[in-house]
PDB file of all heavy atoms in Angstrom:
ATOM      1  N   VAL H 108     -13.860  -1.733  18.755  1.00  0.00           N
ATOM      2  CA  VAL H 108     -13.313  -0.514  19.379  1.00  0.00           C
ATOM      3  C   VAL H 108     -13.083  -0.732  20.863  1.00  0.00           C
ATOM      4  O   VAL H 108     -12.053  -0.341  21.423  1.00  0.00           O
ATOM      5  CB  VAL H 108     -14.282   0.682  19.199  1.00  0.00           C
ATOM      6  CG1 VAL H 108     -13.730   1.911  19.909  1.00  0.00           C
ATOM      7  CG2 VAL H 108     -14.511   0.979  17.743  1.00  0.00           C
ATOM      8  N   SER H 109     -14.047  -1.346  21.531  1.00  0.00           N
ATOM      9  CA  SER H 109     -13.985  -1.422  22.991  1.00  0.00           C
ATOM     10  C   SER H 109     -13.269  -2.683  23.475  1.00  0.00           C
ATOM     11  O   SER H 109     -13.266  -2.962  24.682  1.00  0.00           O
ATOM     12  CB  SER H 109     -15.390  -1.357  23.593  1.00  0.00           C
ATOM     13  OG  SER H 109     -16.080  -2.551  23.291  1.00  0.00           O
ATOM     14  N   GLY H 110     -12.681  -3.423  22.555  1.00  0.00           N
ATOM     15  CA  GLY H 110     -11.951  -4.629  22.957  1.00  0.00           C
ATOM     16  C   GLY H 110     -12.827  -5.602  23.731  1.00  0.00           C
ATOM     17  O   GLY H 110     -12.338  -6.334  24.589  1.00  0.00           O
ATOM     18  N   GLY H 111     -14.118  -5.575  23.452  1.00  0.00           N
ATOM     19  CA  GLY H 111     -15.042  -6.493  24.114  1.00  0.00           C
ATOM     20  C   GLY H 111     -15.540  -5.996  25.461  1.00  0.00           C
ATOM     21  O   GLY H 111     -16.347  -6.658  26.114  1.00  0.00           O
ATOM     22  N   LEU H 112     -15.085  -4.817  25.923  1.00  0.00           N
ATOM     23  CA  LEU H 112     -15.556  -4.283  27.217  1.00  0.00           C
ATOM     24  C   LEU H 112     -16.896  -3.578  27.036  1.00  0.00           C
ATOM     25  O   LEU H 112     -17.284  -3.242  25.917  1.00  0.00           O
ATOM     26  CB  LEU H 112     -14.530  -3.296  27.789  1.00  0.00           C
ATOM     27  CG  LEU H 112     -13.125  -3.831  28.088  1.00  0.00           C
ATOM     28  CD1 LEU H 112     -12.217  -2.697  28.579  1.00  0.00           C
ATOM     29  CD2 LEU H 112     -13.190  -4.935  29.135  1.00  0.00           C
ATOM     30  N   ASN H 113     -17.600  -3.317  28.159  1.00  0.00           N
ATOM     31  CA  ASN H 113     -18.870  -2.584  28.031  1.00  0.00           C
ATOM     32  C   ASN H 113     -18.710  -1.090  28.311  1.00  0.00           C
ATOM     33  O   ASN H 113     -19.670  -0.379  28.573  1.00  0.00           O
ATOM     34  CB  ASN H 113     -19.954  -3.203  28.917  1.00  0.00           C
ATOM     35  CG  ASN H 113     -19.502  -3.310  30.358  1.00  0.00           C
ATOM     36  OD1 ASN H 113     -18.511  -2.671  30.740  1.00  0.00           O
ATOM     37  ND2 ASN H 113     -20.189  -4.099  31.157  1.00  0.00           N
ATOM     38  N   THR H 114     -17.458  -0.636  28.260  1.00  0.00           N
ATOM     39  CA  THR H 114     -17.178   0.786  28.450  1.00  0.00           C
ATOM     40  C   THR H 114     -16.500   1.349  27.205  1.00  0.00           C
ATOM     41  O   THR H 114     -16.031   0.605  26.360  1.00  0.00           O
ATOM     42  CB  THR H 114     -16.232   0.997  29.647  1.00  0.00           C
ATOM     43  OG1 THR H 114     -15.104   0.143  29.472  1.00  0.00           O
ATOM     44  CG2 THR H 114     -16.926   0.685  30.963  1.00  0.00           C
ATOM     45  N   VAL H 115     -16.423   2.700  27.147  1.00  0.00           N
ATOM     46  CA  VAL H 115     -15.705   3.332  26.037  1.00  0.00           C
ATOM     47  C   VAL H 115     -14.860   4.489  26.587  1.00  0.00           C
ATOM     48  O   VAL H 115     -15.255   5.171  27.529  1.00  0.00           O
ATOM     49  CB  VAL H 115     -16.676   3.824  24.942  1.00  0.00           C
ATOM     50  CG1 VAL H 115     -17.607   4.909  25.460  1.00  0.00           C
ATOM     51  CG2 VAL H 115     -15.904   4.328  23.714  1.00  0.00           C
ATOM     52  N   ALA H 116     -13.679   4.665  25.980  1.00  0.00           N
ATOM     53  CA  ALA H 116     -12.784   5.753  26.368  1.00  0.00           C
ATOM     54  C   ALA H 116     -12.931   6.881  25.352  1.00  0.00           C
ATOM     55  O   ALA H 116     -12.888   6.636  24.149  1.00  0.00           O
ATOM     56  CB  ALA H 116     -11.347   5.240  26.390  1.00  0.00           C
ATOM     57  N   VAL H 117     -13.135   8.106  25.853  1.00  0.00           N
ATOM     58  CA  VAL H 117     -13.359   9.235  24.935  1.00  0.00           C
ATOM     59  C   VAL H 117     -12.411  10.386  25.284  1.00  0.00           C
ATOM     60  O   VAL H 117     -12.183  10.678  26.450  1.00  0.00           O
ATOM     61  CB  VAL H 117     -14.821   9.748  25.022  1.00  0.00           C
ATOM     62  CG1 VAL H 117     -15.059  10.847  23.992  1.00  0.00           C
ATOM     63  CG2 VAL H 117     -15.809   8.607  24.816  1.00  0.00           C
ATOM     64  N   ARG H 118     -11.910  11.035  24.234  1.00  0.00           N
ATOM     65  CA  ARG H 118     -11.026  12.175  24.462  1.00  0.00           C
ATOM     66  C   ARG H 118     -11.211  13.206  23.380  1.00  0.00           C
ATOM     67  O   ARG H 118     -11.412  12.870  22.208  1.00  0.00           O
ATOM     68  CB  ARG H 118      -9.592  11.657  24.535  1.00  0.00           C
ATOM     69  CG  ARG H 118      -8.499  12.494  23.936  1.00  0.00           C
ATOM     70  CD  ARG H 118      -7.156  11.997  24.453  1.00  0.00           C
ATOM     71  NE  ARG H 118      -6.074  12.197  23.499  1.00  0.00           N
ATOM     72  CZ  ARG H 118      -5.398  13.325  23.372  1.00  0.00           C
ATOM     73  NH1 ARG H 118      -5.707  14.375  24.126  1.00  0.00           N
ATOM     74  NH2 ARG H 118      -4.419  13.436  22.490  1.00  0.00           N
ATOM     75  N   MET H 119     -11.138  14.486  23.782  1.00  0.00           N
ATOM     76  CA  MET H 119     -11.176  15.590  22.830  1.00  0.00           C
ATOM     77  C   MET H 119      -9.795  16.234  22.838  1.00  0.00           C
ATOM     78  O   MET H 119      -9.425  16.906  23.803  1.00  0.00           O
ATOM     79  CB  MET H 119     -12.238  16.600  23.257  1.00  0.00           C
ATOM     80  CG  MET H 119     -12.315  17.815  22.369  1.00  0.00           C
ATOM     81  SD  MET H 119     -13.628  18.900  22.987  1.00  0.00           S
ATOM     82  CE  MET H 119     -13.392  20.307  21.937  1.00  0.00           C
ATOM     83  N   PRO H 120      -8.996  16.015  21.799  1.00  0.00           N
ATOM     84  CA  PRO H 120      -7.611  16.513  21.833  1.00  0.00           C
ATOM     85  C   PRO H 120      -7.533  18.040  21.780  1.00  0.00           C
ATOM     86  O   PRO H 120      -8.399  18.698  21.203  1.00  0.00           O
ATOM     87  CB  PRO H 120      -6.972  15.876  20.597  1.00  0.00           C
ATOM     88  CG  PRO H 120      -8.071  15.361  19.761  1.00  0.00           C
ATOM     89  CD  PRO H 120      -9.297  15.229  20.595  1.00  0.00           C
ATOM     90  N   GLU H 121      -6.467  18.536  22.373  1.00  0.00           N
ATOM     91  CA  GLU H 121      -6.239  19.982  22.421  1.00  0.00           C
ATOM     92  C   GLU H 121      -5.637  20.466  21.100  1.00  0.00           C
ATOM     93  O   GLU H 121      -5.854  21.605  20.695  1.00  0.00           O
ATOM     94  CB  GLU H 121      -5.260  20.241  23.574  1.00  0.00           C
ATOM     95  CG  GLU H 121      -5.243  21.649  24.102  1.00  0.00           C
ATOM     96  CD  GLU H 121      -4.300  21.746  25.301  1.00  0.00           C
ATOM     97  OE1 GLU H 121      -4.479  20.989  26.283  1.00  0.00           O
ATOM     98  OE2 GLU H 121      -3.377  22.563  25.226  1.00  0.00           O
ATOM     99  N   ASN H 122      -4.870  19.585  20.471  1.00  0.00           N
ATOM    100  CA  ASN H 122      -4.194  19.941  19.223  1.00  0.00           C
ATOM    101  C   ASN H 122      -5.217  20.320  18.148  1.00  0.00           C
ATOM    102  O   ASN H 122      -6.123  19.559  17.834  1.00  0.00           O
ATOM    103  CB  ASN H 122      -3.344  18.747  18.771  1.00  0.00           C
ATOM    104  CG  ASN H 122      -2.575  19.025  17.498  1.00  0.00           C
ATOM    105  OD1 ASN H 122      -3.159  19.294  16.446  1.00  0.00           O
ATOM    106  ND2 ASN H 122      -1.268  18.965  17.594  1.00  0.00           N
TER     107      ASN H 122
END
Side-chain angles (χ1 to χ4, degrees):
V108 177
S109 70
L112 299 177
N113 54 15
T114 51
V115 63
V117 184
R118 143 164 150 84
M119 177 179 173
E121 200 176 304
N122 181 299

